[in-house]
Amino acid sequence: MLKKLYGYFSNKKSLAQLQVIPREDHNISRRNISHSALKVIQRLNQSGYESYLVGGGVRDLQLGGRPKDFDVATSATPEQVKQIFRNSRIIGRRFKIVHVRFGREIIEVTTFRAHHDANTDKDQPSSDSARSDSGMLLRDNVYGDIVSDACRRDFTINALYYTTNNFCIHDYTNGMDDLQQQKIRMIGNPAERYKEDPVRMLRAIRFAAKLNFSIEPATEKPIAQLRSLLTNIPSARLFDESLKMFMGGYSLACLQQLDKYKLLEFLSPPAATAMVNQASARSFFERTMRNTDKRLANDLRVTPAYIYAALLWPAVCAEESHLITKGEHPARALQLAAQHVIGKQVKHTAIPKRFTQSMREIWELQFRLLNPRGQQFFTLVEHPRFRAAYDFLLMREENGENLNNMGVWWTNFQSANEEERQVMATNFTTKSKPQKTKRRRSNHQKSPAKN
């Protein structure tokens, strides 16, 4: 087993001997671990299987964080796990895992994986293992032991195993050292590991952004040459990855990392083009992400619709202007521009329809908030997407757009009582109406004087 693993990994330092970190030398306490995760580990152990808390939960606990998700790795197969837990189901075909549900909480349980390469793949049943011509793993259900599992994980800081037997951490890849040195390091040959799963490039920069770590040189170097492999990733999976980046509380840092490594174009080509070519677009995106991070830090709600509405806004505006020059009415031009830009975007990230509809409403409300008429003042504030559209309007003004201070106007309108709102609406309507001027009648138009 060890000879095969050493043969696979060109960087033999990535496969270290087991280090056992006793309870007194690490920061993890059971009090900070989900009771549901502890139940899963206990029942698997009682059933005769090895089981450990693993991955981001261990990493974040060691760093002093409070993770929301906890993953368990075990020697039990998915089918054996399902037999133990009635409240579970097997999901995934490419990578089988078991979800054990406790109310709203889900504990993800994975079976120890083993390494397989192009030579051994053909000896495996097609349902267990498959690889594309580019080297990407299409199915990865070859099982092994904890040593092989540690070496099959992506980064050293995600390959730490916490056991409840003696409350120690098992470290096979020097992950604890990299945590202390604040390094993102790939386990094994980085180029080969990226080919196995190109999404690991996105994960590398996400962890660097989230933890404020640096990506060590060998892990960083292949990204420039291999980033085009992301075009092979299904759009639905890229949408999920984008949510992890933009809705985790560190979206500004992720945006900056995406820009640095030129990976934004694989998530949103229109946003990447605008960010490079328009300084105003770059500042608008950064304001959006900074505001999103602030809202999440204050436990306020954010939606993918708002984030994607911001990322695609420059493209929508450019398309809208083009259509207006061709004679389209501004309101209609905005609708057509939204349809065109969203149609191109969903080819890269499969944004669900419930979000694209909200995006359209946010955009269309921009026109209506700037040009309200009649009773629209009162109906607009009751619109389900008014708050998001209003925030969007404020963001545009903060970014330097001249919108006739309509953001301030709507702020005052919301805080006014009914009587004050009526006065504001009347004054706005009167002010916005074009003034009629009397025409002077010429002498020959005057009525003849009466005798």
Side-chain angles (χ1 to χ4, degrees), residues 136-177:
M136 186 169 70
L137 290 176
L138 303 177
R139 280 185 294 280
D140 184 13
N141 295 305
V142 181
Y143 304 132
D145 60 14
I146 188 172
V147 178
S148 62
D149 189 72
C151 296
R152 286 290 300 128
R153 293 186 176 270
D154 49 11
F155 305 107
T156 60
I157 59 173
N158 293 337
L160 300 171
Y161 297 75
Y162 173 82
T163 174
T164 58
N165 286 337
N166 50 15
F167 315 115
C168 63
I169 293 176
H170 290 187
D171 180 5
Y172 295 87
T173 62
N174 284 329
M176 290 290 281
D177 289 344

Short mmCIF file of all heavy atoms in Angstrom, two decimals, residues 136-177:
data_model
loop_
_atom_site.label_atom_id
_atom_site.label_comp_id
_atom_site.label_asym_id
_atom_site.label_seq_id
_atom_site.Cartn_x
_atom_site.Cartn_y
_atom_site.Cartn_z
N MET A 136 -9.66 13.81 -15.69
CA MET A 136 -10.63 14.16 -14.66
C MET A 136 -11.38 12.92 -14.20
O MET A 136 -11.82 12.10 -15.02
CB MET A 136 -11.63 15.20 -15.19
CG MET A 136 -12.58 15.71 -14.13
SD MET A 136 -13.55 17.15 -14.68
CE MET A 136 -14.64 16.39 -15.89
N LEU A 137 -11.52 12.79 -12.88
CA LEU A 137 -12.26 11.66 -12.32
C LEU A 137 -13.75 11.86 -12.55
O LEU A 137 -14.32 12.87 -12.13
CB LEU A 137 -11.97 11.53 -10.82
CG LEU A 137 -10.56 11.08 -10.43
CD1 LEU A 137 -10.41 11.09 -8.92
CD2 LEU A 137 -10.27 9.69 -10.98
N LEU A 138 -14.36 10.91 -13.23
CA LEU A 138 -15.80 10.96 -13.47
C LEU A 138 -16.55 10.19 -12.39
O LEU A 138 -17.68 10.54 -12.07
CB LEU A 138 -16.12 10.37 -14.85
CG LEU A 138 -15.39 11.05 -16.03
CD1 LEU A 138 -15.73 10.33 -17.33
CD2 LEU A 138 -15.76 12.52 -16.11
N ARG A 139 -15.93 9.14 -11.88
CA ARG A 139 -16.47 8.42 -10.72
C ARG A 139 -15.30 8.04 -9.83
O ARG A 139 -14.24 7.67 -10.31
CB ARG A 139 -17.24 7.16 -11.16
CG ARG A 139 -18.64 7.44 -11.63
CD ARG A 139 -19.40 6.16 -11.92
NE ARG A 139 -18.83 5.43 -13.05
CZ ARG A 139 -19.05 5.73 -14.32
NH1 ARG A 139 -19.81 6.77 -14.64
NH2 ARG A 139 -18.50 5.02 -15.29
N ASP A 140 -15.53 8.12 -8.53
CA ASP A 140 -14.45 7.88 -7.57
C ASP A 140 -15.01 7.15 -6.37
O ASP A 140 -15.20 7.71 -5.31
CB ASP A 140 -13.82 9.22 -7.15
CG ASP A 140 -12.63 9.03 -6.22
OD1 ASP A 140 -12.15 7.90 -6.11
OD2 ASP A 140 -12.20 10.02 -5.61
N ASN A 141 -15.30 5.88 -6.57
CA ASN A 141 -15.89 5.08 -5.50
C ASN A 141 -15.05 3.84 -5.22
O ASN A 141 -15.56 2.73 -5.05
CB ASN A 141 -17.33 4.68 -5.86
CG ASN A 141 -18.24 5.89 -5.97
OD1 ASN A 141 -18.33 6.67 -5.03
ND2 ASN A 141 -18.88 6.07 -7.10
N VAL A 142 -13.73 4.04 -5.22
CA VAL A 142 -12.79 2.98 -4.86
C VAL A 142 -12.42 3.19 -3.40
O VAL A 142 -11.89 4.23 -3.03
CB VAL A 142 -11.53 3.04 -5.75
CG1 VAL A 142 -10.57 1.91 -5.37
CG2 VAL A 142 -11.91 2.95 -7.22
N TYR A 143 -12.70 2.21 -2.56
CA TYR A 143 -12.56 2.38 -1.11
C TYR A 143 -11.25 1.81 -0.60
O TYR A 143 -10.68 0.88 -1.15
CB TYR A 143 -13.75 1.73 -0.40
CG TYR A 143 -15.08 2.26 -0.88
CD1 TYR A 143 -16.12 1.39 -1.22
CD2 TYR A 143 -15.29 3.63 -1.01
CE1 TYR A 143 -17.33 1.89 -1.67
CE2 TYR A 143 -16.50 4.13 -1.46
CZ TYR A 143 -17.52 3.25 -1.80
OH TYR A 143 -18.71 3.75 -2.25
N GLY A 144 -10.76 2.41 0.50
CA GLY A 144 -9.50 1.97 1.09
C GLY A 144 -9.49 2.13 2.58
O GLY A 144 -10.53 1.95 3.24
N ASP A 145 -8.32 2.55 3.13
CA ASP A 145 -8.22 2.73 4.57
C ASP A 145 -7.92 4.20 4.87
O ASP A 145 -7.88 5.05 3.96
CB ASP A 145 -7.14 1.82 5.16
CG ASP A 145 -5.75 2.08 4.58
OD1 ASP A 145 -5.57 3.13 3.92
OD2 ASP A 145 -4.86 1.24 4.77
N ILE A 146 -7.69 4.52 6.13
CA ILE A 146 -7.53 5.92 6.51
C ILE A 146 -6.26 6.53 5.91
O ILE A 146 -6.24 7.72 5.57
CB ILE A 146 -7.52 6.06 8.05
CG1 ILE A 146 -7.56 7.56 8.45
CG2 ILE A 146 -6.35 5.35 8.68
CD1 ILE A 146 -7.75 7.78 9.92
N VAL A 147 -5.19 5.73 5.72
CA VAL A 147 -3.96 6.27 5.13
C VAL A 147 -4.21 6.68 3.69
O VAL A 147 -3.86 7.79 3.27
CB VAL A 147 -2.82 5.23 5.21
CG1 VAL A 147 -1.56 5.79 4.55
CG2 VAL A 147 -2.53 4.85 6.65
N SER A 148 -4.82 5.79 2.91
CA SER A 148 -5.11 6.13 1.51
C SER A 148 -6.11 7.27 1.43
O SER A 148 -6.03 8.12 0.55
CB SER A 148 -5.64 4.90 0.76
OG SER A 148 -6.86 4.44 1.31
N ASP A 149 -7.05 7.31 2.38
CA ASP A 149 -8.05 8.38 2.37
C ASP A 149 -7.40 9.74 2.60
O ASP A 149 -7.76 10.72 1.93
CB ASP A 149 -9.10 8.12 3.46
CG ASP A 149 -10.28 9.05 3.36
OD1 ASP A 149 -11.09 8.91 2.43
OD2 ASP A 149 -10.39 9.96 4.21
N ALA A 150 -6.46 9.79 3.52
CA ALA A 150 -5.77 11.05 3.79
C ALA A 150 -5.03 11.54 2.54
O ALA A 150 -5.04 12.74 2.22
CB ALA A 150 -4.79 10.88 4.95
N CYS A 151 -4.42 10.61 1.82
CA CYS A 151 -3.66 10.99 0.63
C CYS A 151 -4.56 11.29 -0.56
O CYS A 151 -4.11 11.89 -1.53
CB CYS A 151 -2.68 9.88 0.28
SG CYS A 151 -1.42 9.62 1.54
N ARG A 152 -5.80 10.89 -0.52
CA ARG A 152 -6.75 11.19 -1.59
C ARG A 152 -7.42 12.55 -1.39
O ARG A 152 -8.09 13.06 -2.29
CB ARG A 152 -7.83 10.11 -1.66
CG ARG A 152 -7.37 8.81 -2.25
CD ARG A 152 -7.09 8.90 -3.73
NE ARG A 152 -8.27 9.29 -4.48
CZ ARG A 152 -8.30 10.30 -5.36
NH1 ARG A 152 -7.22 11.02 -5.58
NH2 ARG A 152 -9.41 10.60 -5.99
N ARG A 153 -7.27 13.15 -0.21
CA ARG A 153 -7.89 14.46 0.02
C ARG A 153 -7.10 15.54 -0.70
O ARG A 153 -5.98 15.32 -1.12
CB ARG A 153 -8.02 14.73 1.52
CG ARG A 153 -9.02 13.78 2.16
CD ARG A 153 -9.33 14.04 3.59
NE ARG A 153 -10.38 13.10 4.00
CZ ARG A 153 -11.68 13.32 3.91
NH1 ARG A 153 -12.11 14.48 3.47
NH2 ARG A 153 -12.56 12.40 4.27
N ASP A 154 -7.74 16.72 -0.84
CA ASP A 154 -7.11 17.73 -1.69
C ASP A 154 -5.95 18.44 -1.02
O ASP A 154 -4.80 18.39 -1.48
CB ASP A 154 -8.15 18.72 -2.21
CG ASP A 154 -9.06 19.27 -1.12
OD1 ASP A 154 -8.78 19.07 0.08
OD2 ASP A 154 -10.08 19.91 -1.48
N PHE A 155 -6.21 19.12 0.11
CA PHE A 155 -5.18 19.95 0.74
C PHE A 155 -4.83 19.40 2.12
O PHE A 155 -5.68 18.82 2.80
CB PHE A 155 -5.65 21.40 0.84
CG PHE A 155 -6.08 21.97 -0.48
CD1 PHE A 155 -7.42 22.18 -0.76
CD2 PHE A 155 -5.14 22.27 -1.45
CE1 PHE A 155 -7.83 22.68 -1.98
CE2 PHE A 155 -5.54 22.78 -2.69
CZ PHE A 155 -6.88 22.99 -2.96
N THR A 156 -3.61 19.63 2.51
CA THR A 156 -3.13 19.07 3.78
C THR A 156 -3.97 19.55 4.96
O THR A 156 -4.22 18.79 5.90
CB THR A 156 -1.67 19.44 4.02
OG1 THR A 156 -1.54 20.87 4.06
CG2 THR A 156 -0.77 18.89 2.92
N ILE A 157 -4.42 20.81 4.92
CA ILE A 157 -5.17 21.35 6.06
C ILE A 157 -6.56 20.75 6.15
O ILE A 157 -7.25 20.93 7.16
CB ILE A 157 -5.27 22.89 5.98
CG1 ILE A 157 -5.97 23.32 4.68
CG2 ILE A 157 -3.89 23.52 6.11
CD1 ILE A 157 -6.25 24.81 4.61
N ASN A 158 -7.00 20.02 5.10
CA ASN A 158 -8.30 19.36 5.12
C ASN A 158 -8.18 17.86 5.40
O ASN A 158 -9.17 17.13 5.28
CB ASN A 158 -9.02 19.56 3.78
CG ASN A 158 -9.40 21.01 3.55
OD1 ASN A 158 -9.52 21.78 4.49
ND2 ASN A 158 -9.60 21.38 2.30
N ALA A 159 -6.98 17.40 5.72
CA ALA A 159 -6.75 15.97 5.93
C ALA A 159 -6.37 15.68 7.38
O ALA A 159 -5.45 14.90 7.65
CB ALA A 159 -5.66 15.47 4.97
N LEU A 160 -7.07 16.33 8.30
CA LEU A 160 -6.86 16.10 9.73
C LEU A 160 -8.05 15.31 10.26
O LEU A 160 -9.20 15.64 9.98
CB LEU A 160 -6.72 17.43 10.46
CG LEU A 160 -5.56 18.32 10.01
CD1 LEU A 160 -5.67 19.70 10.65
CD2 LEU A 160 -4.22 17.67 10.36
N TYR A 161 -7.77 14.28 11.05
CA TYR A 161 -8.81 13.35 11.54
C TYR A 161 -8.88 13.43 13.06
O TYR A 161 -7.89 13.15 13.75
CB TYR A 161 -8.49 11.92 11.10
CG TYR A 161 -8.48 11.71 9.61
CD1 TYR A 161 -7.42 12.16 8.83
CD2 TYR A 161 -9.53 11.05 8.98
CE1 TYR A 161 -7.40 11.97 7.46
CE2 TYR A 161 -9.53 10.85 7.60
CZ TYR A 161 -8.46 11.31 6.85
OH TYR A 161 -8.47 11.11 5.49
N TYR A 162 -10.05 13.78 13.55
CA TYR A 162 -10.25 13.87 15.01
C TYR A 162 -11.04 12.64 15.47
O TYR A 162 -12.09 12.30 14.90
CB TYR A 162 -11.04 15.13 15.35
CG TYR A 162 -11.44 15.24 16.81
CD1 TYR A 162 -10.56 15.69 17.77
CD2 TYR A 162 -12.73 14.88 17.21
CE1 TYR A 162 -10.93 15.79 19.11
CE2 TYR A 162 -13.12 14.97 18.53
CZ TYR A 162 -12.22 15.42 19.48
OH TYR A 162 -12.60 15.51 20.80
N THR A 163 -10.52 11.96 16.47
CA THR A 163 -11.19 10.77 17.00
C THR A 163 -11.70 11.02 18.42
O THR A 163 -11.03 11.70 19.22
CB THR A 163 -10.24 9.56 17.00
OG1 THR A 163 -10.89 8.45 17.65
CG2 THR A 163 -8.94 9.85 17.73
N THR A 164 -12.86 10.47 18.71
CA THR A 164 -13.42 10.61 20.05
C THR A 164 -12.94 9.50 20.99
O THR A 164 -13.29 9.49 22.16
CB THR A 164 -14.96 10.57 20.00
OG1 THR A 164 -15.39 9.35 19.38
CG2 THR A 164 -15.51 11.75 19.21
N ASN A 165 -12.15 8.56 20.48
CA ASN A 165 -11.67 7.49 21.33
C ASN A 165 -10.71 8.01 22.39
O ASN A 165 -10.81 7.68 23.57
CB ASN A 165 -10.97 6.41 20.49
CG ASN A 165 -11.98 5.58 19.71
OD1 ASN A 165 -13.15 5.49 20.10
ND2 ASN A 165 -11.55 4.99 18.61
N ASN A 166 -9.75 8.85 21.96
CA ASN A 166 -8.84 9.45 22.94
C ASN A 166 -8.70 10.95 22.70
O ASN A 166 -7.75 11.57 23.21
CB ASN A 166 -7.47 8.76 22.91
CG ASN A 166 -6.92 8.66 21.50
OD1 ASN A 166 -7.40 9.33 20.59
ND2 ASN A 166 -5.91 7.82 21.32
N PHE A 167 -9.62 11.50 21.87
CA PHE A 167 -9.70 12.95 21.65
C PHE A 167 -8.43 13.55 21.06
O PHE A 167 -8.06 14.68 21.36
CB PHE A 167 -10.09 13.68 22.94
CG PHE A 167 -11.22 13.03 23.68
CD1 PHE A 167 -11.02 12.47 24.94
CD2 PHE A 167 -12.47 12.93 23.09
CE1 PHE A 167 -12.06 11.85 25.61
CE2 PHE A 167 -13.52 12.30 23.76
CZ PHE A 167 -13.32 11.75 25.02
N CYS A 168 -7.75 12.77 20.22
CA CYS A 168 -6.54 13.26 19.58
C CYS A 168 -6.79 13.50 18.09
O CYS A 168 -7.84 13.13 17.55
CB CYS A 168 -5.37 12.30 19.78
SG CYS A 168 -5.63 10.69 19.03
N ILE A 169 -5.83 14.12 17.43
CA ILE A 169 -5.90 14.36 15.98
C ILE A 169 -4.86 13.50 15.29
O ILE A 169 -3.71 13.45 15.72
CB ILE A 169 -5.64 15.85 15.66
CG1 ILE A 169 -6.77 16.72 16.21
CG2 ILE A 169 -5.51 16.07 14.15
CD1 ILE A 169 -6.54 18.21 16.02
N HIS A 170 -5.28 12.81 14.23
CA HIS A 170 -4.36 12.03 13.41
C HIS A 170 -4.02 12.85 12.17
O HIS A 170 -4.90 13.26 11.41
CB HIS A 170 -4.99 10.70 13.01
CG HIS A 170 -5.15 9.75 14.15
ND1 HIS A 170 -5.56 8.44 13.98
CD2 HIS A 170 -4.95 9.91 15.49
CE1 HIS A 170 -5.61 7.85 15.17
NE2 HIS A 170 -5.24 8.72 16.09
N ASP A 171 -2.74 13.07 11.94
CA ASP A 171 -2.26 13.90 10.84
C ASP A 171 -1.28 13.08 10.01
O ASP A 171 -0.19 12.75 10.47
CB ASP A 171 -1.60 15.17 11.40
CG ASP A 171 -1.07 16.09 10.32
OD1 ASP A 171 -1.29 15.81 9.13
OD2 ASP A 171 -0.42 17.09 10.67
N TYR A 172 -1.66 12.77 8.76
CA TYR A 172 -0.81 11.97 7.88
C TYR A 172 -0.07 12.81 6.84
O TYR A 172 0.77 12.28 6.12
CB TYR A 172 -1.67 10.93 7.13
CG TYR A 172 -2.29 9.89 8.03
CD1 TYR A 172 -3.52 10.12 8.63
CD2 TYR A 172 -1.66 8.68 8.27
CE1 TYR A 172 -4.11 9.18 9.46
CE2 TYR A 172 -2.24 7.71 9.09
CZ TYR A 172 -3.46 7.97 9.69
OH TYR A 172 -4.04 7.02 10.51
N THR A 173 -0.39 14.09 6.72
CA THR A 173 0.15 14.89 5.60
C THR A 173 0.78 16.20 6.05
O THR A 173 0.93 17.12 5.24
CB THR A 173 -0.98 15.19 4.60
OG1 THR A 173 -1.99 15.98 5.25
CG2 THR A 173 -1.59 13.92 4.03
N ASN A 174 1.12 16.31 7.30
CA ASN A 174 1.70 17.54 7.85
C ASN A 174 0.73 18.72 7.78
O ASN A 174 1.14 19.88 7.62
CB ASN A 174 3.02 17.91 7.14
CG ASN A 174 4.19 17.05 7.58
OD1 ASN A 174 4.24 16.59 8.73
ND2 ASN A 174 5.12 16.79 6.68
N GLY A 175 -0.53 18.42 7.90
CA GLY A 175 -1.54 19.47 7.85
C GLY A 175 -1.45 20.45 9.00
O GLY A 175 -1.69 21.65 8.83
N MET A 176 -1.10 19.95 10.19
CA MET A 176 -0.98 20.85 11.34
C MET A 176 0.14 21.86 11.13
O MET A 176 0.01 23.03 11.50
CB MET A 176 -0.74 20.04 12.61
CG MET A 176 -1.94 19.23 13.07
SD MET A 176 -3.30 20.24 13.70
CE MET A 176 -2.70 20.62 15.35
N ASP A 177 1.24 21.42 10.52
CA ASP A 177 2.34 22.35 10.24
C ASP A 177 1.89 23.43 9.26
O ASP A 177 2.21 24.61 9.44
CB ASP A 177 3.54 21.60 9.65
CG ASP A 177 4.25 20.73 10.69
OD1 ASP A 177 4.01 20.95 11.89
OD2 ASP A 177 5.03 19.86 10.29
#
